[in-house]
């Protein structure tokens, strides 16, 4: 038998290094969540997917998302505009939706959620979440049961 023993309180410590297995699991979860969103137009879904990927990398911008979609930023802007969608609003809505889904997963700390959404620090995430919902993420999570 092989066994590893460590104090139980280590289970409450945050991860200090990126976990590629967790990243893959979360990427799969993001894809499933995005598939459940109402399909407005193909370009909107493609942009949401690219945004979700870029948020985790903290590189979500019109330029980087357009590049991921093999479009110029101006073309992406025009295509979104043609279906009545603003890039900044889509970016914000994608971030809000993912925040809600991540907060439902009790295994993720608020700091983990902030990082996954591309916030520089947890306090910035908390301010944004309060703007979206009128309450902090911790209170929102506890209300969700």
């Amino acid at each position: 038998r092989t066994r590893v023993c460590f104090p139980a309180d280590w289970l409450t410590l945050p991860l200090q290094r990126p976990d590629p297995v967790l990243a893959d699991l979360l990427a799969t979860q993001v894809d499933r969540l995005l598939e459940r969103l109402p399909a407005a137009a193909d370009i909107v879904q493609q942009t949401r997917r690219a945004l979700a990927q870029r948020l985790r990398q903290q590189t979500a911008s019109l330029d980087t998302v357009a590049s991921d979609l093999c479009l110029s930023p101006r073309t992406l802007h025009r295509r979104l505009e043609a279906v009545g969608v603003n890039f900044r609003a889509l970016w914000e809505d994608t971030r809000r939706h993912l925040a809600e889904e991540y907060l439902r997963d009790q295994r993720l700390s608020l700091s983990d959620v902030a990082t996954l959404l591309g916030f520089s620090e947890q306090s910035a995430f908390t301010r944004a979440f309060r703007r979206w919902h009128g309450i902090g993420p911790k209170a929102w999570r506890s209300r969700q049961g």
Side-chain angles (χ1 to χ4, degrees):
R1 291 183 180 194
T2 303
R3 116 176 105 161
V4 176
C5 298
F6 54 87
D9 64 329
W10 284 11
L11 294 172
T12 61
L13 295 175
L15 295 176
Q16 297 300 315
R17 286 184 225 106
D19 182 346
V21 174
L22 179 61
D24 288 342
L25 173 72
L26 292 172
T28 302
Q29 182 181 9
V30 165
D31 288 340
R32 278 185 305 187
L33 294 171
L34 290 173
E35 287 170 5
R36 291 192 330 214
L37 290 173
D42 194 50
I43 190 66
V44 174
Q45 291 302 91
Q46 291 173 359
T47 305
R48 280 188 190 276
R49 282 189 180 89
L51 273 168
Q53 289 292 330
R54 287 292 181 169
L55 284 171
R56 284 194 301 275
Q57 300 166 6
Q58 297 186 347
T59 57
S61 70
L62 179 63
D63 290 343
T64 58
V65 170
S67 175
D68 291 346
L69 298 176
C70 299
L71 300 170
S72 72
R74 181 70 188 125
T75 299
L76 176 58
H77 178 77
R78 274 196 318 269
R79 288 187 183 177
L80 289 172
E81 199 172 64
V83 292
V85 176
N86 174 282
F87 179 81
R88 179 68 181 174
L90 184 61
W91 181 80
E92 190 80 8
D93 185 60
T94 301
R95 218 175 197 192
R96 181 195 52 76
H97 180 77
L98 290 174
E100 293 167 3
E101 293 300 326
Y102 289 149
L103 286 172
R104 287 185 179 99
D105 186 344
Q106 297 293 325
R107 297 172 297 174
L108 296 174
S109 70
L110 295 181
S111 179
D112 292 337
V113 173
T115 299
L116 288 168
L117 295 173
F119 286 95
S120 58
E121 53 190 41
Q122 184 180 330
S123 62
F125 165 60
T126 299
R127 283 191 305 277
F129 198 88
R130 278 200 176 108
R131 189 176 68 247
W132 298 328
H133 294 282
I135 61 171
K138 189 174 183 180
W140 187 90
R141 177 182 260 176
S142 65
R143 287 183 183 180
Q144 299 304 306

